C-alpha cells in the first residue's frame, strides 16, 4: 500500500513537472485571436486554448459524479456564468483580473476533483467560470456581433463540457480505479493552473 502511494506521488509530481515546464501550451489570454468574426470566432476560440479545454472537460468529469439534476444544473450555471462574464468582459470590467480568476478556477476545480464530497467546490468552480467568460469578452469584443460570438462560445463550451460528462461517466462505470484517474486529472488541472 505504501509503495503504491509513493509511486502515485512520484507519477503526479512528474506530470506536474512536465506540464509546468511547458507553459506555452496553455495558450492563455491574449494571443490566440482568429481572423474570423461572429459565431465562428466564438465557437472556435474555446478549442484553441488548453485552459478552456481543461476547464470544460474537468467540470464535466466532476459533475459526472453527481446526480442527473446536478449535471443539467451544472450545464445551465456554466453557460450563464460564461455569458455574464463575457458581457462584463466586453465592457472592460474585470479585464485586469480575469487571468487570476482563471487560475483560481482551475485550482478550485482540481481540489473539487480530489474531494470525495465536492458539491460546494463544484459550485465554486462554476462561479469562477465567470472569469473565463470575462477573458473571452475582452478578447473577442472586436470579433463582430456580440450575440453571435456569445452563442458560438457557449455552444462550444457546452460541447466540451458534454464530452467531459461522457468521459466522467465512462470512468465512473467502466474503468477500474476510476477515482485514481480522476485524481490524476486533478493533478493535470492543478499543474496547468500553475503554468
Amino acid at each position: 500500500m505504501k509503495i503504491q502511494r509513493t509511486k502515485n506521488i512520484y507519477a503526479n509530481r512528474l506530470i506536474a513537472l512536465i506540464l509546468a515546464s511547458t507553459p506555452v501550451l496553455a495558450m492563455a489570454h491574449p494571443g490566440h485571436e482568429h481572423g474570423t468574426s461572429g459565431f465562428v470566432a466564438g465557437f472556435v476560440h474555446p478549442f484553441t486554448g488548453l485552459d478552456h479545454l481543461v476547464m470544460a472537460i474537468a467540470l464535466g468529469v466532476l459533475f459526472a459524479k453527481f446526480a442527473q439534476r446536478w449535471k443539467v444544473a451544472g450545464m445551465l450555471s456554466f453557460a450563464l456564468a460564461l455569458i455574464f462574464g463575457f458581457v462584463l468582459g466586453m465592457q472592460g470590467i474585470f479585464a485586469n483580473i480575469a487571468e487570476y480568476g482563471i487560475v483560481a478556477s482551475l485550482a478550485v476545480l482540481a481540489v473539487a476533483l480530489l474531494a470525495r464530497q465536492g458539491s460546494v467546490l463544484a459550485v465554486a468552480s462554476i462561479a469562477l467560470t465567470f472569469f473565463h467568460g470575462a477573458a473571452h469578452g475582452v478578447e473577442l469584443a472586436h470579433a463582430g456581433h456580440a450575440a453571435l460570438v456569445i452563442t458560438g462560445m457557449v455552444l462550444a463550451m457546452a460541447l466540451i463540457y458534454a464530452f467531459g460528462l461522457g468521459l466522467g461517466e465512462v470512468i465512473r462505470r467502466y474503468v477500474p480505479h476510476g477515482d485514481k484517474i480522476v485524481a490524476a486529472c486533478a493533478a493535470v488541472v492543478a499543474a496547468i493552473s500553475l503554468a
Side-chain angles (χ1 to χ4, degrees):
M1 178 85 174
K2 187 175 181 179
I3 293 172
Q4 183 64 30
R5 182 180 295 151
T6 303
K7 286 182 182 179
N8 288 342
I9 290 170
Y10 286 126
N12 289 342
R13 287 181 183 171
L14 179 62
I15 290 169
L17 178 65
I18 290 168
L19 290 173
S21 67
T22 56
V24 75
L25 291 176
M27 293 188 298
H29 315 277
H32 48 287
E33 292 84 8
H34 315 288
T36 57
S37 65
F39 179 84
V40 174
F43 186 81
V44 169
H45 187 80
F47 293 101
T48 63
L50 193 56
D51 54 335
H52 309 311
L53 290 170
V54 166
M55 180 66 182
I57 291 171
L59 262 177
V61 170
L62 176 64
F63 275 86
K65 293 171 30 174
F66 298 114
Q68 185 64 33
R69 65 183 167 84
W70 270 89
K71 294 172 191 172
V72 174
M75 173 72 89
L76 293 175
S77 301
F78 183 48
L80 289 174
L82 284 171
I83 292 167
F84 186 61
F86 187 93
V87 170
L88 292 179
M90 285 182 67
Q91 308 304 316
I93 301 171
F94 297 110
N96 294 332
I97 62 169
E99 290 299 321
Y100 300 111
I102 289 171
V103 170
S105 72
L106 292 171
V108 168
L109 184 55
V111 173
L113 281 167
L114 286 169
R116 293 256 180 223
Q117 299 295 328
S119 57
V120 171
L121 293 169
V123 171
S125 298
I126 290 228
L128 289 168
T129 299
F130 162 85
F131 289 105
H132 289 261
H136 284 131
V138 169
E139 291 176 357
L140 298 174
H142 68 282
H145 194 268
L148 292 175
V149 175
I150 291 171
T151 302
M153 179 193 70
V154 170
L155 179 60
M157 292 296 273
L159 289 172
I160 298 167
Y161 171 85
F163 173 78
L165 273 177
L167 180 63
E169 282 295 320
V170 168
I171 289 171
R172 188 176 65 79
R173 290 182 182 190
Y174 303 112
V175 178
H177 310 292
D179 288 343
K180 292 181 181 178
I181 292 171
V182 172
C185 289
V188 170
V189 172
I192 289 172
S193 71
L194 292 174

